[in-house]
Amino acid sequence: MKPKVTVLTLGVDDLDASLRFYRDGLGFPTEGIIGKEFEHGAVVFIQLQPGLRLALWPRRSIAHDTGFAVGLASATEMTLGHNVSSKAEVDDVMAKATLAGAVIVKPAHDTFWGGYSGYFQDPDGHLWEVVWNPQWTE
C-alpha cells in the first residue's frame, strides 16, 4: 500500500447542517449533497487540494456500509490540521470559523514549540487545529 490518502470522510449527524457549515460558513467549494437517490448514498464532497477530498457522510450511512453500530463520537480520536502562513492568518481563520458557528475549544495562542495555534469544533464535534508553524514553509 502506498502512503497516499485521497478522501477523508467525516461522519455527521445532520448532513444539511454540515453542508451549510463547510460551504456557507467556511467557504469550502462543493457541489452540495449528491447521491440522494440511493439509500445511504447522500454525501458531500469537498475538494481540499489536488488529489485530496473531504467527504461528509451521515454516521448512520457509515454504520450501514461497514456493519458497525453507530457509536459515541469522540473529539479526541483525531484532529484535522489547517496550516497557514502567519499568526494573523490563524486569527482570521478562527474568526471565520466562529462566524460559521464553530465551537472554539482553545483560542489561538503561542505554543510551547514556537508556533501559534487554536482549536475549533464543527457542528458534529470534529476537531480542527488552525496552526502556523514557523518551521514549515508551504
Side-chain angles (χ1 to χ4, degrees):
M1 178 174 169
K2 294 180 183 178
K4 181 179 179 183
V5 174
T6 55
V7 179
L8 298 171
T9 302
L10 299 180
V12 301
D13 290 322
D14 183 334
L15 190 56
D16 291 310
S18 293
L19 171 62
R20 286 190 303 274
F21 177 80
Y22 283 99
R23 181 192 60 199
D24 304 338
L26 295 182
F28 287 11
T30 177
E31 295 177 30
I33 299 172
I34 62 170
K36 288 182 181 181
E37 66 274 21
F38 305 108
E39 185 177 9
H40 304 289
V43 64
V44 171
F45 288 109
I46 298 165
Q47 188 72 45
L48 295 177
Q49 58 200 44
L52 182 61
R53 288 182 176 87
L54 179 67
L56 308 174
W57 200 21
R59 286 187 170 113
R60 66 186 175 282
S61 296
I62 294 172
H64 174 80
D65 199 48
T66 62
F68 284 109
V70 176
L72 296 175
S74 171
T76 59
E77 296 299 320
M78 66 172 279
T79 66
L80 296 162
H82 179 65
N83 288 278
V84 297
S85 59
S86 68
K87 288 182 175 185
E89 194 173 354
V90 170
D91 292 335
D92 291 345
V93 172
M94 294 293 287
K96 188 170 193 170
T98 299
L99 290 174
V103 173
I104 303 302
V105 175
K106 190 171 188 179
H109 64 284
D110 291 312
T111 65
F112 70 90
W113 47 267
Y116 187 73
S117 74
Y119 287 94
F120 71 84
Q121 285 181 297
D122 74 4
D124 289 282
H126 299 292
L127 194 58
W128 284 80
E129 180 186 23
V130 183
V131 61
W132 169 70
N133 183 337
Q135 304 303 315
W136 289 4
T137 55
E138 302 280 334

